[in-house]
Amino acid sequence: MASSIFAAVPRAPPVAVFKLTADFREDGDARKVNLGVGAYRTDEGQPWVLPVVRKVERLIADDSGLNHEYLPILGLPDFRAHASRIALGDDSAAIAESRVGGVQSLGGTGALRIGAEFLRRWYNGNNNTTTPVYVSTPTWENHNSVFLDAGFKDIRSYHYWDAAKRGLDLPGLLDDMEKAPEFSIFILHACAHNPTGTDPTPDQWKQIAAVMKRRSLFPFFDSAYQGFASGSLDKDAWAVRYFVSEGFELFCAQSFSKNFGLYNERVGNLTVVGKDADNVQRVLSQMEKIVRTTWSNPPSQGARIVATTLGSPQLFAEWKDNVKTMADRVLLMRSELRSRLESLGTPGTWNHITDQIGMFSFTGLNPKQVEYMIKEKHIYLMASGRINMCGLTTKNLDYVAKSIHEAVTKIQ
Amino acid sequence: SSWWSHVEMGPPDPILGVTEAFKRDTNSKKMNLGVGAYRDDNGKPYVLNCVRKAEAMIASKKMDKEYLPIAGLADFTRASAELALGENSEAFKSGRYVTVQGISGTGSLRIGANFLQRFFKASRDVYLPKPSWGNHTPIFRDAGLQLQAYRYYDPKTCSLDFTGAMEDISKIPEKSIILLHACAHNPTGVDPRQEQWKEMASVVKKRNLLVYFDMAYQGFASGDINRDAWAVRHFIEQGINIVLSQSYAKNMGLYGERAGAFTVICSDAEEAKRVESQLKILIRPMYSNPPLNGARIASLILNTPELRKEWLVEVKGMADRIIGMRSQLVSNLKKEGSSHNWQHITDQIGMFCFTGLKPEQVERLTKEFSIYMTKDGRISVAGVASGNVGYLAHAIHQVTK
């Protein structure tokens, strides 16, 4: 038989965060802790299906009038409308002016990809693959791949994390924006920056918006943690809404994986804000073409759960309560970890643990210290020093704090 | 001014247009024969009993919602491969395959197209049958490949132009990609007979073509899952390492749940692992990992003996109803006094039927009888019921006599 056409296909490296979880699973040590992949865990270290989700699933299962027919290409209309409303606010002028559209997508990733494909085809000319796309340093590692696979050739980074002061490098960020070619696309984390947990303050966002407006830069928000970051939907959407109020046309890739705990149902929405209704309609018609060759139409189950929840005042209130439960537990773990490290006298400053927001914290641990944590202490975290606060529980806080203390004092 | 001033309005989807017009029509006798989804004899969507049972089982287990692996639900992908290849397949038993979960048929096709674009450097050309499913062309094009065609449908006979197909396929440059519909060709309903498949396999092998099977109707075409997968299995047995896209939209009625799979038959298990790793690299920047619901339902059905048995009965039931409607349509046309040869309606198989009607005749059907179909004369037999097959026959006779 002729040699295989795939004989030369190289073995690709595994995606780091999933490899981490795989290694964690194989670890037989009783003390092991998984501070890797970004999913919420209860204080018992268990996944948590939101009570409101269980309730709504029951409602859906009992509704004999429902079937499994195809959704429209752009998704469930109620879901899209509710999702965009959640991002932009009930009082959104843009929504009232009919210049907002939504594309139901497979998670936040799917929304990013559809948006990226659209921009590559229609932004800054036609099929302009050379438009620079800027991602923060560091950023969620999949951002690069999404835009590369969508056809963009020039992915650049903008300054973001200041390792020395463990905070936002605003001067560096603004400088990069001043120097970026006109019309460059900037991926902005709407809140709870992944992986640093460091967000601009409202005042800093205002400065960012001013430069972007002057330089005609395109804002593409990644909003994966609305509600989950501060516990308040409105607070976590402040940046997106500010940009809209400043007259920007923008994209916002929304994920309901974390704030609804619907990870494996792949529920996301690409919110499109345009100058007027006519522009948005034409944009959506082209989004349909892109969706049709990617997945044809999106999955039904998750969108139904979200739409049903957001469409009922009572269920909506329950959901907000569930979200606050998650956000509050994370805030508690942050303050508990910080106070332990300070009590132990661990070298360095640890206020960044509570200054940072959302699921993740950039601890500041270097790769050698991370390796020590994994190999010696069986505590799994990313090589960048990123930890998932959700992996902490009242039972393992002491062990994790002591281990960080050891790593920092023993390894430099 | 807007960034989007120059963005053109996308052309309207032809099939969607049919449904929109149908919805607006107030004639009580109206028929929607554009719909690409199964309908029962009352014209209603049909949720399979085995699906309802699987859903109840899933609900009672109160499982979590954690991310699936990038390649999807393992129980589902394994069962999917076994369903396509057959449990006795050497390729399946040896593990020299990789199957990843895809977003129904479209998503699986697209993953495959992207994979070939990245790793199949021998050719950029994909050969489609003439005609093919309308979405095949933009899928492969968006993946960065080029489209070519081979003769397939003979409009004079409303059946397979086998001579033309063989002539064209024999001339396809070596190492090109050829797409084949495993069964229930969409949109024509015209499938090769087994002897014809054997000849095609032989030519394809001689030309050293990469074979891409699209199987969206396994079980739904003849009512027999093994019979419908015969071509796929034959090609593999002939030593052709195919790639394959599967959909559970029709055969399990899971349309909106997006259950599908993409498979690569490899030289050995080691190669399969390498190929899998690269498929994951493609999937992650598309949507990270696939949706669970549909795959879990399908997996439970395929892997639970009682449910699987029930499914086989139900999918045969759907296929039989379609086959029954085909023969009723023909007998009604005869009763109307039509002198035309309508044999192709019963020769063709699957959801769709290329009636042979011309655009002017289709337009008359719509305007005078409120019967809606696509301009190419394609009807979805799933939209025909015992309550309206007589009306349909009458209308067709009126516009063709």
Side-chain angles (χ1 to χ4, degrees):
Chain A
M1 195 160 66
S3 96
S4 165
I5 46 171
F6 301 126
V9 171
R11 181 74 170 255
V15 178
V17 67
F18 299 127
K19 171 96 181 25
L20 196 71
T21 294
D23 291 345
F24 168 81
R25 280 210 190 99
E26 301 219 351
D27 190 327
D29 194 298
R31 298 166 295 171
K32 66 180 181 177
V33 182
N34 187 356
L35 301 180
V37 74
Y40 179 78
R41 293 283 177 270
T42 63
D43 198 51
E44 286 74 43
Q46 294 303 312
W48 192 51
V49 177
L50 276 58
V52 74
V53 167
R54 284 268 185 250
K55 188 187 266 192
V56 172
E57 282 186 315
R58 182 85 262 140
L59 290 173
I60 289 171
D62 290 344
D63 186 346
S64 56
L66 287 176
N67 53 42
H68 292 294
E69 292 295 286
Y70 289 125
L71 286 182
I73 297 173
L74 295 180
L76 190 64
D78 278 353
F79 167 78
R80 297 160 55 209
H82 283 309
S84 292
R85 193 175 47 80
I86 285 290
L88 303 183
D90 286 331
D91 54 356
S92 163
I95 293 179
E97 290 157 19
S98 302
R99 55 189 189 87
V100 173
V103 181
Q104 181 187 335
S105 308
L106 271 74
T109 306
L112 283 164
R113 180 60 177 265
I114 298 299
E117 293 277 355
F118 178 88
L119 291 174
R120 193 259 298 160
R121 285 165 174 70
W122 295 103
Y123 175 71
N124 197 22
N126 280 353
N127 204 36
N128 189 349
T129 60
T130 64
T131 302
V133 178
Y134 283 80
V135 299
S136 64
T137 307
T139 194
W140 182 47
E141 96 289 348
N142 207 17
H143 279 150
N144 284 274
S145 314
V146 168
F147 283 85
L148 275 170
D149 280 14
F152 284 102
K153 305 255 185 277
D154 188 0
I155 318 288
R156 307 184 185 184
S157 36
Y158 61 89
H159 286 86
Y160 195 84
W161 170 251
D162 185 332
K165 70 173 221 241
R166 286 193 188 153
L168 179 67
D169 176 7
L170 186 67
L173 193 166
L174 294 175
D175 190 54
D176 284 338
M177 286 185 169
E178 291 286 1
K179 297 199 171 95
E182 262 191 321
F183 317 133
S184 296
I185 297 163
F186 272 76
I187 313 306
L188 306 168
H189 297 230
C191 68
H193 183 272
N194 178 1
T196 69
T198 299
D199 290 343
T201 62
D203 193 72
Q204 292 171 329
W205 274 122
K206 286 180 180 174
Q207 293 180 60
I208 291 168
V211 177
M212 290 187 74
K213 196 185 270 195
R214 193 167 21 85
R215 308 269 320 124
S216 300
L217 306 173
F218 186 84
F220 196 149
F221 279 97
D222 182 351
S223 176
Y225 301 98
Q226 189 185 0
F228 197 98
S230 71
S232 157
L233 291 168
D234 294 322
K235 194 156 170 217
D236 290 347
W238 188 89
V240 179
R241 295 176 190 184
Y242 177 72
F243 272 66
V244 172
S245 71
E246 285 293 297
F248 282 90
E249 292 185 300
L250 56 81
F251 285 177
C252 179
Q254 301 168 262
S255 168
F256 293 92
S257 291
K258 283 84 172 173
N259 60 14
F260 258 90
L262 286 173
Y263 307 94
N264 65 25
E265 302 285 7
R266 315 312 293 126
V267 200
N269 186 55
L270 177 70
T271 284
V272 174
V273 182
K275 268 287 179 320
D276 54 50
D278 182 66
N279 273 296
V280 170
Q281 284 318 303
R282 280 181 284 105
V283 166
L284 290 179
S285 77
Q286 294 297 345
M287 291 281 184
E288 272 192 358
K289 305 298 163 220
I290 296 168
V291 168
R292 184 69 168 133
T293 61
T294 313
W295 55 62
S296 258
N297 43 78
S300 164
Q301 181 72 353
R304 275 182 178 160
I305 294 171
V306 174
T308 305
T309 305
L310 298 182
S312 147
Q314 185 202 322
L315 293 171
F316 180 55
E318 277 185 53
W319 173 58
K320 283 196 285 188
D321 204 59
N322 290 171
V323 172
K324 193 158 188 315
T325 297
M326 293 191 286
D328 284 351
R329 195 180 96 68
V330 169
L331 288 168
L332 180 65
M333 290 300 104
R334 285 185 179 279
S335 73
E336 293 287 300
L337 179 62
R338 173 184 169 181
S339 66
R340 273 166 181 71
L341 291 169
E342 285 171 349
S343 304
L344 288 167
T346 309
T349 55
W350 299 101
N351 52 287
H352 59 282
I353 302 264
T354 47
D355 289 345
Q356 289 165 8
I357 193 168
M359 202 178 270
F360 301 114
S361 174
F362 241 32
T363 53
L365 293 174
N366 65 38
K368 284 213 192 79
Q369 293 164 336
V370 169
E371 199 181 339
Y372 176 84
M373 293 284 284
I374 298 175
K375 293 215 151 50
E376 304 302 323
K377 314 306 290 186
H378 306 273
I379 295 173
Y380 290 75
L381 64 155
M382 302 297 288
S384 60
R386 184 191 90 168
I387 61 172
N388 178 5
M389 302 307 297
C390 301
L392 293 174
T393 67
T394 48
K395 288 199 188 68
N396 66 26
L397 266 168
D398 285 337
Y399 178 63
V400 172
K402 284 206 191 82
S403 302
I404 292 176
H405 181 83
E406 273 183 44
V408 171
T409 48
K410 283 189 180 162
I411 319 277
Q412 261 78 53
Chain B
S1 80
S2 166
W3 286 122
W4 318 125
S5 314
H6 67 296
V7 173
E8 300 144 18
M9 193 70 181
D13 185 289
I15 296 173
L16 215 68
V18 168
T19 298
E20 295 297 302
F22 168 81
K23 283 197 191 132
R24 287 193 296 267
D25 194 323
T26 52
N27 186 343
S28 61
K29 289 211 166 109
K30 65 181 180 177
M31 290 178 72
N32 186 356
L33 300 181
V35 67
Y38 180 79
R39 294 286 176 264
D40 64 16
D41 203 47
N42 296 311
K44 296 272 177 282
Y46 173 58
V47 178
L48 278 64
N49 279 325
C50 61
V51 168
R52 289 211 191 280
K53 284 193 180 145
E55 288 178 304
M57 284 165 72
I58 290 165
S60 70
K61 288 189 186 159
K62 293 204 179 311
M63 295 148 105
D64 64 41
K65 300 210 165 286
E66 294 297 285
Y67 287 124
L68 276 178
I70 299 174
L73 186 65
D75 282 347
F76 168 72
T77 52
R78 195 185 13 85
S80 207
E82 190 195 42
L83 179 68
L85 308 182
E87 57 182 353
N88 293 319
S89 149
E90 164 274 324
F92 178 73
K93 289 199 287 206
S94 68
R96 64 177 186 93
Y97 72 93
V98 53
T99 300
V100 296
Q101 185 179 335
I103 313 300
S104 205
T106 301
S108 304
L109 280 163
R110 181 58 181 273
I111 291 169
N114 280 10
F115 177 75
L116 293 176
Q117 191 279 335
R118 193 172 276 187
F119 290 102
F120 188 66
K121 291 310 186 187
S123 173
R124 303 286 74 179
D125 287 325
V126 180
Y127 284 76
L128 301 180
K130 230 188 306 200
S132 193
W133 181 44
N135 207 20
H136 277 145
T137 294
I139 287 172
F140 285 104
R141 185 167 289 151
D142 280 5
L145 297 169
Q146 281 151 203
L147 281 312
Q148 309 291 347
Y150 56 92
R151 275 174 287 170
Y152 190 80
Y153 178 73
D154 184 348
K156 288 198 279 303
T157 59
C158 296
S159 66
L160 180 63
D161 176 5
F162 187 60
T163 314
M166 293 305 282
E167 264 180 41
D168 286 355
I169 294 175
S170 322
K171 296 204 186 91
I172 294 178
E174 290 204 21
K175 295 196 182 158
S176 304
I177 301 161
I178 181 171
L179 182 121
L180 301 167
H181 297 225
C183 62
H185 181 272
N186 178 3
T188 68
V190 170
D191 286 351
R193 292 190 305 275
Q194 284 185 4
E195 320 91 72
Q196 294 171 322
W197 273 125
K198 282 179 179 169
E199 281 195 56
M200 282 173 70
S202 159
V203 172
V204 150
K205 197 170 172 185
K206 225 182 294 181
R207 301 298 302 153
N208 200 9
L209 304 179
L210 187 143
V211 175
Y212 198 148
F213 266 109
D214 181 355
M215 184 153 69
Y217 299 97
Q218 188 184 5
F220 195 94
S222 70
D224 179 336
I225 49 159
N226 293 311
R227 189 155 157 212
D228 289 347
W230 188 88
V232 168
R233 296 175 188 182
H234 175 74
F235 273 59
I236 296 172
E237 278 157 26
Q238 296 307 302
I240 302 168
N241 286 352
I242 66 161
V243 302
L244 165 73
S245 151
Q246 291 169 274
S247 166
Y248 293 88
K250 285 85 173 173
N251 62 9
M252 284 194 183
L254 290 174
Y255 306 93
E257 303 297 337
R258 321 309 292 130
F262 174 69
T263 295
V264 181
I265 305 296
C266 300
S267 308
D268 51 48
E270 187 273 335
E271 179 177 283
K273 279 268 157 269
R274 281 185 283 115
V275 169
E276 182 186 29
S277 71
Q278 294 296 346
L279 289 170
K280 284 153 74 165
I281 298 285
L282 273 168
I283 292 170
R284 172 93 167 133
M286 242 193 256
Y287 51 83
S288 272
N289 41 74
L292 173 62
N293 200 43
R296 190 152 58 183
I297 294 169
S299 176
L300 209 48
I301 290 171
L302 293 173
N303 290 309
T304 311
E306 321 89 70
L307 288 183
R308 190 182 178 114
K309 232 185 283 175
E310 192 167 358
W311 173 56
L312 293 176
V313 169
E314 287 191 280
V315 74
K316 185 172 190 313
M318 291 192 286
D320 284 348
R321 194 184 90 67
I322 303 246
I323 291 167
M325 285 303 104
R326 287 178 181 275
S327 73
Q328 278 196 47
L329 180 56
V330 173
S331 62
N332 272 284
L333 281 163
K334 289 205 179 96
K335 249 193 277 165
E336 288 283 328
S338 177
S339 56
H340 294 287
N341 180 358
W342 296 105
Q343 193 185 330
H344 54 281
I345 291 183
T346 41
D347 283 347
Q348 290 167 11
I349 192 168
M351 194 176 281
F352 300 112
C353 169
F354 247 29
T355 55
L357 291 168
K358 307 205 177 22
E360 322 84 68
Q361 295 167 325
V362 171
E363 198 176 338
R364 281 189 63 196
L365 279 178
T366 304
K367 285 203 154 61
E368 296 172 32
F369 298 93
S370 296
I371 294 173
Y372 292 82
M373 64 185 70
T374 43
K375 275 205 300 275
D376 54 9
R378 182 193 87 162
I379 61 170
S380 169
V381 185
V384 183
S386 43
N388 58 25
V389 63
Y391 177 70
L392 177 61
H394 173 74
I396 291 177
H397 178 57
Q398 295 309 306
V399 306
T400 55
K401 63 183 180 184

